[in-house]
Amino acid sequence: MISKFKTVLKSSIFGIAAVSAVAAMGFGGTAAAQDKIKIKLAHFLPTANGMHKDFMEPWARDLEACTDGQVEVTIYPGGTQLGNIAKLHDEVRAGIVDIAHGLSGIPGGRFERTRIIDLPFTAKSADAATRTLWSLYPDYLAEEYDGLKVLALHAHNPGQIHTTTKKVATMDDMKGLRIRFPSGAVKSMLEALGATPQGMPPGAVYENAEKGVIDGAAFTWDTMASFKLAEVMKHHLDAKAYVVSFWFAANEKKYNSWPQNVRDCVDKLSGDNLIPKFGPWWNDWDKAGYEAVQGPDHEIITLSDEQRAEWAAALQPMTDAYLADLEGKGIANARKIHDKMLELAAKYAE
């Protein structure tokens, strides 16, 4: 009887222990699942674009690897619900997404200091413009990024004027053309040249060009391939007249809530370590687009340095008016920022 009781007791203890072990593993699994940090990264570009393929996709996977899988990054590119170019800034500030990459000029009225670099003939390359923005960020631009942990500011290589049917070789050729613009400064430039600026997201350009709603667009070479615009844009003026700026940032509260090791990984992949990559990237991206417009059905006109100087002189009143408008909006040091940009961009271009 006693022997039988001991056997039953032993069996019960073993059963309880087994149940406890299973429960512990279950709770441990739940804890592990809860420890997984899921990050939403949104941007406005198609997945075929170089900034997705070479920049954001590898950046996300490198962050996952750096954290040994503690972080899981899901990317929402252009065309998805979270990839609306006009909503990215609001989405990341509100914490709807954790990290976003956006175009400084869309929507307008934001990043006014940053977008001074978009003024005509300010920078000669993506590398020079990007290094200039990052150098000026702490002292001149930071206040525009309230609520954000800025991971990088950058700009593209000087862009072109691409048109569908009309060749543009001179300033007079711009008159009356309906041209898509990417930022307020480029809009002002187009107006000063007599064109009619048209506002629309990059993804809408192909359809509107094909239908004849617009005559062309201010874009970089890379879009001829990544947005397939070489199919509808047949004339290309390489004036190297402007660059356009972008931002890459995390929601500041979200960033501060992540464990130190995750923040360390984000920092390691961003800032000073990321900035030098944009120049070489843009050179590669533009090369692909440039190659897409080679052939007898395309015409490329490149302005000489002398012609560019004439364009710059003609656009100087527009630049002065643009800066005066910023001063009227309360940016008292707008001209100083522009002067610093010109100085640093020239230095970094050497």
Side-chain angles (χ1 to χ4, degrees):
M1 186 73 170
I2 294 175
S3 176
K4 185 176 180 180
F5 175 78
K6 286 181 177 180
T7 301
V8 172
L9 180 61
K10 184 177 180 180
S11 177
S12 299
I13 292 172
F14 177 79
I16 293 170
V19 171
S20 298
V22 171
M25 286 191 291
F27 287 125
T30 302
Q34 290 174 341
D35 287 341
K36 176 78 80 171
I37 297 171
K38 296 187 177 182
I39 290 178
K40 295 179 180 178
L41 191 164
H43 66 82
F44 63 93
L45 297 155
T47 54
N49 188 275
M51 278 201 277
H52 175 89
K53 293 190 301 180
D54 299 330
F55 167 23
M56 278 168 282
E57 182 68 34
W59 190 93
R61 305 294 80 88
D62 286 345
L63 180 58
E64 291 173 339
C66 181
T67 61
D68 293 324
Q70 184 180 359
V71 164
E72 179 182 304
V73 183
T74 301
I75 299 179
Y76 298 87
T80 64
Q81 185 177 6
L82 297 177
N84 186 320
I85 189 171
K87 297 180 179 180
L88 288 167
H89 182 223
D90 290 333
E91 286 174 353
V92 72
R93 287 195 76 234
I96 296 171
V97 299
D98 305 293
I99 300 174
H101 176 268
L103 183 64
S104 301
I106 300 178
R110 307 180 190 188
F111 309 116
E112 298 277 18
R113 294 166 179 81
T114 302
R115 290 190 290 114
I116 290 174
I117 204 162
D118 298 4
L119 284 167
F121 303 101
T122 299
K124 295 180 179 179
S125 70
D127 182 66
T130 296
R131 292 179 187 273
T132 295
L133 287 170
W134 196 241
S135 294
L136 294 180
Y137 169 70
D139 297 327
Y140 293 92
L141 312 177
E143 62 187 280
E144 297 191 320
Y145 299 88
D146 180 55
L148 300 179
K149 166 65 177 177
V150 177
L151 307 179
L153 300 178
H154 69 101
H156 63 47
N157 276 327
Q160 296 74 43
I161 303 297
H162 306 274
T163 48
T164 53
T165 59
K166 182 178 178 180
K167 175 179 73 174
V168 175
T170 68
M171 286 182 275
D172 285 341
D173 291 336
M174 292 290 295
K175 292 178 180 177
L177 293 182
R178 298 159 298 173
I179 305 293
R180 178 264 177 188
F181 66 90
S183 72
V186 178
K187 177 184 179 183
S188 296
M189 180 187 78
L190 293 173
E191 288 173 337
L193 293 170
T196 303
Q198 305 290 309
M200 65 183 64
V205 172
Y206 186 108
E207 180 181 2
N208 282 281
E210 187 177 41
K211 292 181 177 179
V213 175
I214 59 174
D215 300 301
F219 258 144
T220 49
W221 285 123
D222 82 291
T223 59
M224 297 300 106
S226 62
F227 284 94
K228 299 182 179 180
L229 293 179
E231 296 176 6
V232 290
M233 305 285 184
K234 301 301 180 179
H235 301 276
H236 316 275
L237 175 67
D238 192 0
K240 295 182 174 64
Y242 67 94
V243 300
V244 169
S245 49
F246 304 80
W247 53 269
F248 182 50
N251 176 283
E252 190 171 40
K253 289 182 179 178
K254 287 286 186 72
Y255 171 86
N256 290 332
S257 73
W258 295 332
Q260 185 63 52
N261 68 303
V262 173
R263 281 180 280 147
D264 288 344
C265 284
V266 171
D267 294 346
K268 178 182 176 181
L269 296 168
S270 308
D272 292 341
N273 295 319
L274 180 57
I275 293 301
K277 297 181 179 181
F278 286 106
W281 275 338
W282 274 109
N283 291 340
D284 287 342
W285 301 334
D286 279 346
K287 182 180 178 182
Y290 187 76
E291 290 174 349
V293 299
Q294 301 304 304
D297 58 335
H298 287 274
E299 181 178 22
I300 300 172
I301 296 173
T302 303
L303 295 187
S304 66
D305 288 342
E306 190 175 275
Q307 289 172 318
R308 292 179 71 251
E310 292 174 359
W311 283 57
L315 290 168
Q316 188 60 48
M318 167 254 137
T319 295
D320 291 336
Y322 187 95
L323 294 172
D325 181 65
L326 291 183
E327 290 171 338
K329 292 178 179 178
I331 304 176
N333 63 342
R335 292 178 193 276
K336 183 177 181 180
I337 293 174
H338 185 237
D339 289 343
K340 291 291 291 183
M341 285 179 171
L342 289 170
E343 174 191 338
L344 289 174
K347 171 188 169 185
Y348 288 128
E350 293 176 355

